[in-house]
Amino acid sequence: MPSNTALYAVARLRDRSGPVIEAQVQQILAWLVLPGAAEDWHLPGIKVAGRGRYLAVPPASWVNGQWSGAPSTRWLIPPHGTCLTDAKSLHDVLAEVIRETPAMNGTAGYRSPECCMNDHEACTKAEAPPPPRESSVIYEACDCPCHEALRRALRRISQTGGER
Ligand SMILES: [Zn+2]
Ligand SMILES: [Zn+2]
């Protein structure tokens, strides 16, 4: 989950949260749950790393932030106990936080999964493709602010291009 929103979940879970891994460059927080416990989750902006996926797990001693010259992946909440978070509590809190966050619940305009995960360079939805003929499907362009510069540039081209 993108860290800026995930931090609200950390605050709300308090003692119920198991260890949390933070990828500081990608700005993602990760919790560990029992295998399969999150398989049927449908939460926007949350990626469930199931079977066949890898998760970079830092050594237990990597608990310092980047600002202290430490590695960019660290334990935001250090490993303890079973290292697992109760999937039900986690799901409920994440759902709550998503409901209250316009950038994640859809009321702030469409965001591609890539941009939701802070992987802005991978986003290919900056421009809405023209809808196929005789189709009522409406494609939405990604509303992430990371595309603003690109959109401005395109607008400039379409404005000046027409005069020649
Ligand atoms: Zn973006
Ligand atoms: Zn995007």
Side-chain angles (χ1 to χ4, degrees):
M1 186 184 203
S3 0
N4 50 0
T5 332
L7 284 171
Y8 291 108
V10 171
R12 226 167 270 191
L13 279 164
R14 292 169 166 265
D15 304 351
R16 287 179 294 159
S17 182
V20 174
I21 297 169
E22 177 178 21
Q24 297 183 94
V25 174
Q26 294 86 350
Q27 298 183 10
I28 288 168
L29 295 194
W31 283 265
L32 304 170
V33 295
L34 277 174
E39 236 156 44
D40 56 352
W41 287 14
H42 299 286
L43 297 172
I46 307 282
K47 228 180 225 174
V48 176
R51 199 184 292 273
R53 281 259 178 76
Y54 294 92
L55 179 71
V57 177
S61 61
W62 291 11
V63 291
N64 292 318
Q66 238 182 338
W67 48 89
S68 61
S72 63
T73 300
R74 63 153 175 169
W75 293 96
L76 183 70
I77 299 180
H80 61 271
T82 60
C83 285
L84 298 173
T85 300
D86 175 58
K88 172 87 174 69
S89 317
L90 180 59
H91 178 278
D92 292 352
V93 167
L94 294 180
E96 231 172 74
V97 170
I98 290 168
R99 251 197 319 272
E100 294 163 13
T101 310
M104 293 193 75
N105 66 22
T107 57
Y110 169 72
R111 289 271 176 113
S112 73
E114 290 82 7
C115 278
C116 280
M117 295 303 290
N118 278 313
D119 192 4
H120 301 286
E121 275 165 33
C123 179
T124 54
K125 314 263 168 37
E127 290 295 307
R133 250 191 294 173
E134 287 158 32
S135 157
S136 55
V137 178
I138 296 167
Y139 291 91
E140 262 188 285
C142 177
D143 196 35
C144 178
C146 78
H147 303 303
E148 251 324 294
L150 178 68
R151 234 169 260 155
R152 265 201 305 272
L154 285 170
R155 223 172 288 148
R156 231 182 353 255
I157 291 167
S158 68
Q159 277 164 10
T160 55
E163 289 160 14
R164 256 177 264 160

